[in-house]
Amino acid sequence: MRPRPPVKGRGLVSGTGLIVTCLTATIAALVFSLWSFTDRPGTGPDALNAQTLRTSYGPLSALDQDFLVKVRLAGLWELPAGRQARTKGTTPAVRTAGRHLVEGHRFLDERVRGVAARLNLALPDAPSDQQKQWLRTLDTAQGAEYDRQFANILRVAHGRVFSVVAQVRASTRNSLVRDLADDANTTVLDHIKVLEATGYVDFDAVARDMATAGPPPTAAPPPASAPDPGPAFTLPPPTFRPPPEP
């Protein structure tokens, strides 16, 4: 028996040809999608990695760099603030908080300078404008008003950096930054606790500041010679005052 001739409309078009046609269309769609994404401004590989530095310890992202700058800036103003509180504070709790600040930021400042040197990253050598203003506020305050200003200003500052530490620890691919984030997390949490133990912290003000604060920056930090002063912050009156020291 002779084989049946192919039926018109079948064969290449309905079988293998149809499969080849579908695969070709799928590949073309994928190639077009990739080309369309990388061709958009700011989405190509070079643009996406422009803020990340390659190091022998892993990639150093813009957030990592900003974290290192923030740790250094914290030490530049919180060390003198802590020293001042050890003598100017009117309660044992305030003086204890000052001692913790000195010990913690002395340790962190040495750590961050060592990490930055190994990563060849420049760090600021002076506090930001806002931090200088905070120090001036503490310089002029006296008595219980000093205790209140010290506890609230430092608690707000630590709350801001605490959220950055958490994000850096969760996302960094750099081993040096990861270890520093562990140390910073322990130190900052200790400072938050001793500041709250003074009894002067206005938690409503802290909550308002965290609610209005923007997300951590994704761009590279400013040059060391011109640190970002950050948004202004005005502390409201406290809602609680501890009893006088006997």
Side-chain angles (χ1 to χ4, degrees):
M1 178 182 293
R2 292 184 301 175
R4 295 176 58 189
V7 179
K8 187 178 181 180
R10 296 184 181 179
L12 184 63
V13 175
S14 61
T16 305
L18 182 59
I19 295 174
V20 172
T21 301
C22 292
L23 288 174
T24 302
T26 302
I27 294 172
L30 291 173
V31 171
F32 176 78
S33 298
L34 179 60
W35 171 83
S36 298
F37 177 78
T38 57
D39 192 52
R40 296 172 192 162
T43 58
D46 291 341
L48 292 174
N49 296 323
Q51 304 292 347
T52 299
L53 304 178
R54 296 190 180 190
T55 78
S56 58
Y57 305 95
L60 187 69
S61 70
L63 181 61
D64 296 339
Q65 297 170 55
D66 184 72
F67 166 66
L68 295 176
V69 170
K70 277 184 166 57
V71 173
R72 171 61 172 163
L73 285 172
L76 289 172
W77 84 278
E78 292 181 29
L79 268 170
R83 294 189 188 103
Q84 183 187 65
R86 288 192 303 181
T87 58
K88 196 173 179 179
T90 67
T91 70
V94 172
R95 293 191 290 271
T96 297
R99 177 173 57 81
H100 278 242
L101 259 67
V102 171
E103 294 172 353
H105 283 290
R106 182 182 292 155
F107 166 72
L108 280 185
D109 192 64
E110 181 178 350
R111 286 278 287 113
V112 73
R113 286 187 287 112
V115 169
R118 296 169 73 179
L119 295 174
N120 197 28
L121 181 71
L123 292 176
D125 55 10
S128 70
D129 290 342
Q130 185 181 60
Q131 291 166 342
K132 292 177 182 177
Q133 178 58 51
W134 282 340
L135 287 173
R136 287 192 293 268
T137 298
L138 295 177
D139 286 341
T140 58
Q142 301 294 330
E145 176 64 14
Y146 171 83
D147 295 340
R148 182 185 74 84
Q149 293 282 7
F150 169 80
N152 282 281
I153 291 175
L154 271 298
R155 176 59 180 84
V156 166
H158 279 80
R160 291 179 181 180
V161 75
F162 196 49
S163 61
V164 177
V165 173
Q167 184 171 353
V168 169
R169 182 60 182 83
S171 65
T172 186
R173 294 172 289 166
N174 188 283
S175 59
L176 294 181
V177 173
R178 190 177 301 117
D179 291 342
L180 179 62
D182 285 339
D183 292 336
N185 182 75
T186 301
T187 302
V188 174
L189 182 58
D190 171 71
H191 292 176
I192 286 175
K193 289 181 176 180
V194 294
L195 289 166
E196 292 174 351
T198 64
Y200 280 101
V201 171
D202 184 343
F203 290 99
D204 290 338
V206 173
R208 285 194 297 269
D209 181 78
M210 296 303 297
T212 57
T218 56
S225 59
D228 182 11
F233 178 76
T234 303
L235 292 170
T239 54
F240 172 79
R241 289 181 181 273
E245 182 182 359

